[in-house]
């Protein structure tokens, strides 16, 4: 399966701007990737720090996962005292593994990435 990789130009923000910047970027990517979904209900979100608005899905599970991912990212940056980082998001489908060794060790599904940002 081919995987498209989209590389955005670097975005430099101060530490206190990192969470809202990632919220805006990740929700925008996810929202645009899900435009084909019949269950899509857009919700406006405001980013006061940057004085912009963006669209995001009203799906609470998506919002929870984005927030959780950002918090994990920030926690790692704080733990390692690194002031620069690279965040990414990937979209994939899963298939039951045909690999005998993977099945023995419990990995019954394989991820097939089709897009990475």
């Amino acid at each position: 399966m081919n995987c498209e990789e989209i590389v955005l130009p670097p975005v430099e923000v101060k530490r206190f701007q990192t969470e809202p910047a990632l919220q805006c970027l990740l929700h925008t990517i996810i929202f645009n990737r899900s435009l084909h979904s019949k269950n899509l209900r857009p919700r406006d979100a405001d980013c006061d720090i940057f004085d912009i608005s963006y669209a995001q899905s009203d799906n609470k599970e998506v919002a929870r996962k984005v927030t959780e991912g950002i918090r994990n990212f920030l926690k790692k940056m704080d733990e390692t005292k690194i002031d620069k980082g690279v965040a990414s998001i990937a979209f994939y489908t899963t298939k039951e593994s045909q690999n005998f060794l993977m099945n023995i060790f419990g990995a019954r599904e394989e991820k097939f990435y089709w897009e990475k940002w």
Side-chain angles (χ1 to χ4, degrees), residues 4-16:
E4 182 176 3
E5 192 161 343
I6 296 98
V7 179
L8 299 175
V11 176
E12 291 189 30
V13 295
K14 293 181 170 52
R15 172 63 177 88
F16 76 95

Side-chain angles (χ1 to χ4, degrees), residues 49-115:
I49 288 178
F50 299 110
D51 194 28
I52 60 172
S53 296
Y54 58 95
Q56 67 182 51
S57 167
D58 71 343
N59 185 310
K60 290 181 182 175
E61 182 64 16
V62 169
R64 185 190 66 75
K65 287 188 177 201
V66 168
T67 299
E68 181 180 299
I70 292 170
R71 288 194 178 140
N72 289 337
F73 177 81
L74 295 173
K75 182 179 175 187
K76 281 289 184 198
M77 287 188 72
D78 290 342
E79 288 172 355
T80 58
K81 307 279 191 253
I82 294 175
D83 61 350
K84 290 185 180 184
V86 176
S88 64
I89 186 169
F91 300 92
Y92 62 88
T93 58
T94 57
K95 287 187 179 180
E96 189 172 319
S97 175
Q98 301 298 317
N99 185 320
F100 177 72
L101 289 176
M102 289 180 73
N103 287 334
I104 288 176
F105 294 110
R108 304 215 185 278
E109 288 187 336
E110 289 184 77
K111 294 179 182 176
F112 294 92
Y113 292 91
W114 51 273
E115 188 173 283

